[in-house]
Amino acid sequence: MNIGEVSERTGLPAKTIRYYEDIGLVTPQRAANSYREFRESDVHKLAFLGNARGLGFSIEDCRALLTLWEDRSRASGDVRQIAKDHLVEIESKIAGLQAMRATLSDLVSACAGDDRPDCPILKGLAG
Amino acid sequence: MNIGEVSERTGLPAKTIRYYEDIGLVTPQRAANSYREFRESDVHKLAFLGNARGLGFSIEDCRALLTLWEDRSRASGDVRQIAKDHLVEIESKIAGLQAMRATLSDLVSACAGDDRPDCPILKGLAG
DNA sequence: CTTGACCTTCCCGTGACTGGAACCTCTATG
DNA sequence: CATAGAGGTTCCAGTCACGGGAAGGTCAAG
């Protein structure tokens, strides 16, 4: 299977798939014309990667998860730990963004937003 | 005032302050020894930048906000628009992260996390 | 005079791609 | 058979907002 079809089937841009090969996440075979030749197992890996990235796992997390996925004798505790750590990160990002939203929406609602120069937002940002 | 003191007073790393000079956000004077010489107005600008960045505004947003801040005849509506757009972005980031959290926490709680290889997290990621 | 803190510039690296140039290969059509 | 166009290849540069570290100049204290 060529990269275009894989791209369609996984939803990943061809550029991304090439990048994943570059960094060793997938290793498709090569045809005589130097085209990449993807097997079903490559497509599954790439779909897995797409899902993991979609959940915000870093590439290195993905690499670890992929290794565990391929390891039939893995301990599910290892997977769970990675996921839990990531969950904590996500939660702290959410908290940070919510704090931003709170401050910012206060400022926005305090600002008349008309032609006059008086602006509580700028005042807020100034300190 | 030297960069070290400015760094302490604004909470911005010296590296960041130099970077902000590089991209034209501040333009401190120079002393004979080639050291940067910051005036109070530079410190205020940098504090403003620190606050705006802390609320997640991009550098280009900060540049625009700074220009408006310095423009005594600005319309507060311009400021408000930038802030509102940014608020929308923040909210969509929060929504994205919350969706990740929902899926991920479902997976984590479905996973026993012991020594056995059976793992709903990997199953979920596989499709 | 030396030590050590502070300052300078310069260049490379980050994460996870994305865009683009220059070029090769396959397939369908005139 | 020539050609056009779609798809493939490699490689290099850029993104964003800095951070690390090298190599060297400057200043105040002892």
Side-chain angles (χ1 to χ4, degrees):
Chain A
M1 198 182 329
N2 284 347
I3 201 168
E5 195 184 336
V6 177
S7 170
E8 242 179 81
R9 284 183 51 187
T10 61
L12 295 171
K15 277 276 192 187
T16 299
I17 297 172
R18 293 197 191 97
Y19 173 66
Y20 287 171
E21 186 190 5
D22 257 16
I23 61 174
L25 290 178
V26 274
T27 47
Q29 293 177 314
R30 294 295 180 130
N33 55 10
S34 83
Y35 284 19
R36 287 168 183 82
E37 257 185 352
F38 295 85
R39 291 153 294 185
E40 283 301 318
S41 63
D42 294 319
V43 178
H44 287 135
K45 265 196 200 183
L46 287 165
F48 181 97
L49 288 168
N51 291 328
R53 292 286 303 129
L55 287 177
F57 285 102
S58 73
I59 289 285
E60 287 318 305
D61 278 350
C62 288
R63 194 189 301 277
L65 289 170
L66 208 48
T67 305
L68 288 168
W69 190 44
E70 311 247 274
D71 175 6
R72 298 278 133 216
S73 71
R74 81 224 155 199
S76 70
D78 296 344
V79 181
R80 195 165 191 265
Q81 192 54 54
I82 294 174
K84 275 178 71 179
D85 289 352
H86 182 46
L87 200 48
V88 168
E89 262 182 50
I90 287 179
E91 273 159 2
S92 96
K93 275 189 193 173
I94 290 175
L97 287 169
Q98 280 173 338
M100 286 182 196
R101 177 175 59 182
T103 305
L104 200 53
S105 76
D106 280 359
L107 291 175
V108 166
S109 51
C111 176
D114 53 20
D115 292 347
R116 289 168 299 175
D118 180 58
C119 182
I121 298 174
L122 293 178
K123 278 181 192 155
L125 290 172
Chain B
M1 198 181 329
N2 284 347
I3 201 169
E5 195 184 337
V6 177
S7 171
E8 241 179 82
R9 284 184 51 187
T10 60
L12 296 170
K15 276 278 190 185
T16 299
I17 297 172
R18 292 196 192 99
Y19 173 66
Y20 288 171
E21 185 190 7
D22 258 15
I23 62 175
L25 289 179
V26 274
T27 48
Q29 293 177 313
R30 293 295 179 130
N33 54 12
S34 84
Y35 283 20
R36 286 167 183 83
E37 256 185 352
F38 295 86
R39 291 153 294 186
E40 282 302 318
S41 63
D42 294 319
V43 178
H44 288 134
K45 266 196 199 182
L46 288 165
F48 180 98
L49 288 168
N51 290 329
R53 292 285 303 130
L55 287 177
F57 285 102
S58 73
I59 288 286
E60 287 319 304
D61 277 350
C62 288
R63 194 188 301 278
L65 290 170
L66 208 46
T67 304
L68 288 167
W69 190 43
E70 311 246 275
D71 176 7
R72 297 279 133 215
S73 70
R74 80 218 156 206
S76 71
D78 295 346
V79 181
R80 194 165 191 264
Q81 193 54 55
I82 295 174
K84 275 178 72 178
D85 289 352
H86 182 47
L87 199 48
V88 168
E89 263 183 50
I90 287 179
E91 272 160 2
S92 96
K93 275 190 194 175
I94 290 175
L97 287 169
Q98 280 173 340
M100 285 183 198
R101 177 175 59 182
T103 304
L104 200 52
S105 76
D106 280 359
L107 291 175
V108 166
S109 53
C111 175
D114 53 21
D115 292 347
R116 288 169 299 176
D118 179 59
C119 181
I121 298 174
L122 292 178
K123 278 181 192 155
L125 290 172

